[in-house]
């Protein structure tokens, strides 16, 4: 079945460091892919998405490119801030509006 | 806009007790769903609904009931709580069909502890 695999956390970085969170998926066809972010004590909110191969989603300095050759959708940011500390979830669209989520990666950014 | 509102935010139950987690949305979304979030397991779909009067099971439906009598509300019922149902529960909604963008809108979550 469809699944999403993301790198284990927590990831701890210093402010202004480069961030990569790996995400790979298994699916039949080419599903839409998403990154959601969960700040402490809050629900998930959409960070970015890509709907077809080679699309690049971007928002708030974060980027991810839909790579069908490697079935990946890695999240990157050039310079993280303390305010980016959160849990990041990779997800793929299933049938209808259903999403399949990865296990989440906690990011801690320190001064 | 209020968005997706869940109540209660926190609840402690004893094994065997019943309760209902409430979810309401004011965005006129057709699709509503319930997920549970557990450490190391991400979010797993419990039940979902594509419109009033229509519900279906997700990945982990056992021990939970839902109904959808209105577009706005989608309550989740635990008939006989078990410690394995200790989790954080999220309600999420979205447009469906031709209005769908794939984005889910989440509530702030309900943390349930079953002793």
């Amino acid at each position: 079945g469809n699944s999403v695999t993301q790198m284990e956390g927590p990831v701890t970085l210093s402010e202004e460091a480069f961030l990569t969170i790996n995400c790979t998926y298994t699916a039949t066809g080419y599903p839409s892919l998403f990154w959601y972010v969960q700040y402490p004590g809050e629900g998930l909110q959409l960070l970015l998405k890509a709907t077809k191969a080679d699309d690049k989603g971007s928002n708030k300095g974060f980027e991810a490119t839909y790579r069908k050759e490697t079935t990946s959708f890695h999240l990157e940011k050039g310079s993280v801030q303390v305010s980016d500390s959160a849990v990041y979830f990779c997800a793929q669209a299933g049938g209808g509006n259903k999403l399949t989520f990865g296990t989440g990666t906690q990011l801690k950014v320190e001064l | 806009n209020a968005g997706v509102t869940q109540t209660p935010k926190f609840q402690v139950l004893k094994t065997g007790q019943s309760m209902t987690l409430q979810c309401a949305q004011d965005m006129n979304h057709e699709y509503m769903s319930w997920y549970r979030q557990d450490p190391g397991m991400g979010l797993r779909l419990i039940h979902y609904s594509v419109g009033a009067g229509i519900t279906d099971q997700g990945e982990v439906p056992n021990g939970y009931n839902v109904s959808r009598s209105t577009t706005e509300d989608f309550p989740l019922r635990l008939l006989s709580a078990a410690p394995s149902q200790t989790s954080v529960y999220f309600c999420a909604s979205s447009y469906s069909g031709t209005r769908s963008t794939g984005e889910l809108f989440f509530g702030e979550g309900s943390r349930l502890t079953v002793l």
Side-chain angles (χ1 to χ4, degrees), chain A residues 13-67:
Chain A
L13 297 173
S14 298
E15 202 170 41
E16 298 184 359
F18 184 86
L19 168 71
T20 300
I21 300 178
N22 291 337
C23 171
T24 57
Y25 67 92
T26 60
T28 54
Y30 303 104
S32 294
L33 301 173
F34 306 83
W35 277 101
Y36 279 80
V37 58
Q38 183 181 29
Y39 298 104
E42 299 183 9
L44 283 72
Q45 55 187 275
L46 180 66
L47 180 60
L48 55 83
K49 69 177 185 181
T51 58
K52 60 183 185 297
D54 299 325
D55 264 3
K56 177 184 284 188
S58 61
N59 186 25
K60 299 182 181 180
F62 291 89
E63 294 182 339
T65 302
Y66 192 141
R67 305 281 189 200

Side-chain angles (χ1 to χ4, degrees), chain B residues 36-56:
Chain B
R36 59 178 290 174
Q37 182 182 27
D38 301 293
M41 304 192 74
L43 279 81
R44 293 179 293 169
L45 181 64
I46 304 171
H47 284 286
Y48 65 97
S49 168
V50 297
I54 305 169
T55 64
D56 209 342

Side-chain angles (χ1 to χ4, degrees), chain A residues 76-108:
Chain A
E76 297 182 335
K77 186 174 186 183
S79 176
V80 294
Q81 306 300 311
V82 172
S83 57
D84 294 326
S85 298
V87 181
Y88 293 82
F89 290 90
C90 186
Q92 66 167 295
N97 293 66
K98 289 182 282 186
L99 296 184
T100 299
F101 288 88
T103 54
T105 302
Q106 184 174 12
L107 170 66
K108 297 179 181 178

Side-chain angles (χ1 to χ4, degrees), chain B residues 60-76:
Chain B
V60 288
N62 292 342
Y64 307 95
N65 281 349
V66 292
S67 60
R68 184 93 181 271
S69 57
T70 67
T71 300
E72 295 79 16
D73 300 299
F74 192 46
L76 179 71

Side-chain angles (χ1 to χ4, degrees), chain B residues 95-113:
Chain B
Y95 293 114
S96 63
T98 56
R99 297 199 295 167
S100 175
T101 63
E103 178 179 2
L104 284 178
F105 294 80
F106 283 82
E108 293 186 346
S110 299
R111 182 176 294 276
L112 175 65
T113 301

